[in-house]
Amino acid sequence: MLALTNVQVMYDRAIEAVRDVSLDVAPGQIVALLGSNGAGKSTLLKAISNVLYPEEGEILHGEISLGGDSLLVMPADEIVRKGIVHVPEGRRLFPLMTVEENLTMGGYLQSRGDVSAALDRVYKLFPRLKERRKYTAGYLSGGEQQMAAIGRAMLSKPKLLMLDEPSLGLAPQIIEQIFETIVSLNHEEGLSILLVEQNASLALRVASYAYIIENGRVVLDGEAKNIAGNDDVKEFYLGYS
Ligand code: ATP
């Protein structure tokens, strides 16, 4: 479905944030992308959804394609239309708009009927958002904002959801809830998911395949259960050996 081949991304023609990365996400798969701060994970997601600012980050080499079509030449809105939707780190809601307005913004490419059906689905998935639908997004808790960011992405009818650090800054109980939703989106709606996470143990629990990236390079990849059993991964990413 999504295929990256030997992708290299540079910032300011000086900082090589992504080096020679090849990666695949198959239909219906959850793939985890793990690595420490500054490893290049967010840059990779931005390269896929084509939201790198040209004057800053540039893809200098490689190919990124979806079902055989190159994404390198596609504008960001066309990539959304193709079904790749990016939930960025920090959620990026419109803080002065209500929850429902934020969700509806995600459906800007859809018809009115589709938006209303998708809203119902999101409210079923996150009853909390239904209760909060008239609230200004800036006043939501971190967990509610993450739900709204995922909900907004759902309004774009994704085939592949890219989630950047969905657990960041959230309480353990809320993280569990968000991850349950991620799994149910995958199981029940058949969504493919590319999941960037610092919380490696959680990500490896839900993913079937994982890539570990350090200094812009893939240093290890494999079935999630094998990665979780790897001694170096246990020591450096899971906090035990
Ligand atoms: P984090 O979890 O902290 O976001 P990350 O793995 O997502 O980490 P990136 O944000 O992709 O890492 O950053 C990769 C490298 O690129 C880092 O060295 C970072 O400092 C650099 N970088 C990121 N954004 C820019 C930018 N706009 N201009 C210049 N350098 C950047």
Side-chain angles (χ1 to χ4, degrees), residues 22-184:
S22 296
L23 173 158
D24 288 290
V25 182
Q29 198 180 25
I30 301 185
V31 172
L33 189 55
L34 311 174
S36 45
N37 270 340
K41 307 176 302 294
S42 301
T43 301
L44 205 55
L45 296 196
K46 288 181 194 165
I48 296 167
S49 51
N50 205 357
V51 293
L52 285 166
Y53 292 107
E55 66 275 15
E56 294 179 349
E58 274 181 287
I59 301 170
L60 289 186
H61 186 264
E63 179 56 281
I64 303 179
S65 63
L66 182 74
D69 294 335
S70 175
L71 301 183
L72 296 180
V73 291
M74 241 181 243
D77 62 335
E78 186 62 28
I79 292 175
V80 173
R81 224 175 255 127
K82 287 265 176 199
I84 299 188
V85 183
H86 185 167
V87 180
E89 189 175 336
R91 291 110 205 188
R92 307 282 167 84
L93 298 175
F94 299 102
L96 300 178
M97 292 168 78
T98 65
V99 169
E100 187 148 301
E101 285 164 348
N102 267 279
L103 294 174
T104 306
M105 293 295 277
Y108 74 104
L109 295 170
Q110 314 299 330
S111 70
R112 245 168 219 257
D114 283 356
V115 166
S116 124
L119 266 180
D120 284 348
R121 267 178 38 237
V122 168
Y123 288 146
K124 218 171 259 164
L125 206 59
F126 298 114
R128 186 75 180 155
L129 291 184
K130 188 168 188 183
E131 287 166 34
R132 298 274 191 220
R133 67 187 188 280
K134 302 278 179 236
Y135 279 54
T136 304
Y139 287 109
L140 297 179
S141 70
E144 291 164 348
Q145 289 195 13
Q146 186 61 56
M147 292 172 197
I150 295 175
R152 182 177 58 185
M154 293 307 296
L155 264 285
S156 306
K157 289 208 190 154
K159 295 190 186 93
L160 169 69
L161 203 54
M162 301 199 296
L163 302 171
D164 197 348
E165 303 267 9
S167 77
L168 198 71
L170 304 183
Q173 208 186 339
I174 308 293
I175 295 176
E176 283 291 333
Q177 208 182 325
I178 299 281
F179 271 70
E180 272 170 29
T181 312
I182 293 172
V183 169
S184 80

